Amino acid sequence: EKDYLRGAGFRWNVDRRAWEMGHQQVEALCKGEEVTAERVFEAIRQVSPPSSEDAPKGGGVLPTVEVDDDRILVHNSFSVKQEMRRLGMTYDVQCKAWVASVQDIVGKVGAESADEITLTSLLQAAAKVGERGKEVAKWGGAYVVVEEGEVVVLKSFDIKERLKGLGFSWDSERRGWRRRLADVLAMGFESERDIDVSGLMKASQRDQAAVAAQTREPAGDGRWGDTDEE
């Protein structure tokens, strides 16, 4: 039964000694129908349990996610330790679990609350971080952080001229190029989670193309603006 509960997104609460899930998630599990014990059990049965491929090599229990006050803990995590490391989690020897703050993980997963954090959502977020890692290598190690209402591009020496062209200014304290979040979102990003170096470089290319097009517009006398007459 517990594999089905995990597959449905339930988490084991050590203190209560029970499996639990946020009310909004339960409503989603029931697909809009009235939430009753019978309907929940039926919905759980329709969910495939986690694949045995997720289990540690040589057998063992599957990873579980626990919310402990302001921390997220991933137990039995040997098989997913690389993914947890990508998310910036650290291993707590005493707890024997990968640990991070709820606030940090909620932001990376894109959840509204800790109730929405499941092993599946953590692994999906880690996969996205892995893809961004490839982009980091592509742009000389540059990467983006969003903090205090600003977008800051760090390790950005190789692309500093293009960042200047996008209106970024140098922040000597953070050792990066910064610009207001609202200004960066206006460059075509749907949300702050979509902002990355690759997207900024595409915005830079669009700006350069627009400038090039303007310099080739015909002047008032019918001649092209970038044409010099001998």
Side-chain angles (χ1 to χ4, degrees):
E1 297 292 339
K2 63 183 180 181
D3 287 343
Y4 282 92
L5 289 166
R6 287 197 188 100
F10 280 80
R11 297 191 313 271
W12 177 251
N13 186 307
V14 177
D15 294 329
R16 296 178 181 177
R17 306 292 299 173
W19 292 90
E20 62 180 24
M21 175 188 277
H23 187 263
Q24 289 183 343
Q25 285 181 290
V26 173
E27 289 183 332
L29 185 66
C30 294
K31 299 180 179 179
E33 298 181 20
E34 182 181 1
V35 177
T36 63
E38 292 78 9
R39 180 66 188 97
V40 171
F41 287 133
E42 180 185 351
I44 291 172
R45 282 294 184 182
Q46 294 173 352
V47 176
S48 298
S51 169
S52 58
E53 295 178 356
D54 293 331
K57 293 180 180 179
V61 294
L62 293 168
T64 58
V65 178
E66 176 193 1
V67 179
D68 180 18
D69 292 330
D70 60 347
R71 299 192 307 167
I72 297 289
L73 297 89
V74 181
H75 301 281
N76 309 318
S77 52
F78 180 82
S79 63
V80 295
K81 62 181 181 180
Q82 296 300 333
E83 287 80 1
M84 299 306 101
R85 187 178 287 118
R86 282 183 198 163
L87 291 175
M89 302 183 79
T90 57
Y91 190 75
D92 188 313
V93 177
Q94 185 175 1
C95 297
K96 295 182 179 179
W98 287 86
V99 180
S101 70
V102 168
Q103 182 179 5
D104 184 39
I105 294 300
V106 163
K108 290 179 178 178
V109 170
E112 294 184 359
S113 69
D115 290 337
E116 298 179 11
I117 297 175
T118 64
L119 180 62
T120 298
S121 65
L122 289 174
L123 294 177
Q124 290 174 342
K128 292 179 181 178
V129 171
E131 289 300 315
R132 288 181 180 177
K134 296 177 183 178
E135 292 298 321
V136 167
K138 180 179 179 180
W139 301 110
Y143 63 96
V144 171
V145 296
V146 179
E147 56 185 16
E148 299 177 359
E150 292 185 322
V151 175
V152 185
V153 186
L154 303 172
K155 295 186 178 180
S156 49
F157 180 82
D158 290 352
I159 58 173
K160 65 178 182 179
E161 295 302 327
R162 297 178 70 173
L163 293 172
K164 286 181 186 178
L166 289 174
F168 281 75
S169 58
W170 177 250
D171 186 322
S172 58
E173 292 184 4
R174 288 182 281 193
R175 307 295 298 172
W177 292 86
R178 64 180 174 85
R179 189 167 182 186
R180 287 195 319 140
L181 173 59
D183 295 335
V184 176
L185 288 173
M187 296 178 188
F189 298 99
E190 292 185 3
S191 70
E192 66 179 69
R193 291 194 298 273
D194 298 320
I195 301 173
D196 57 15
V197 176
S198 181
L200 290 172
M201 293 303 95
K202 290 178 181 178
S204 173
Q205 291 174 349
R206 290 194 297 269
D207 279 3
Q208 291 175 355
V211 170
Q214 289 177 358
T215 60
R216 293 191 57 81
E217 290 181 358
D221 57 1
R223 293 183 294 111
W224 289 99
D226 59 351
T227 301
D228 291 327
E229 186 174 356
E230 295 293 340

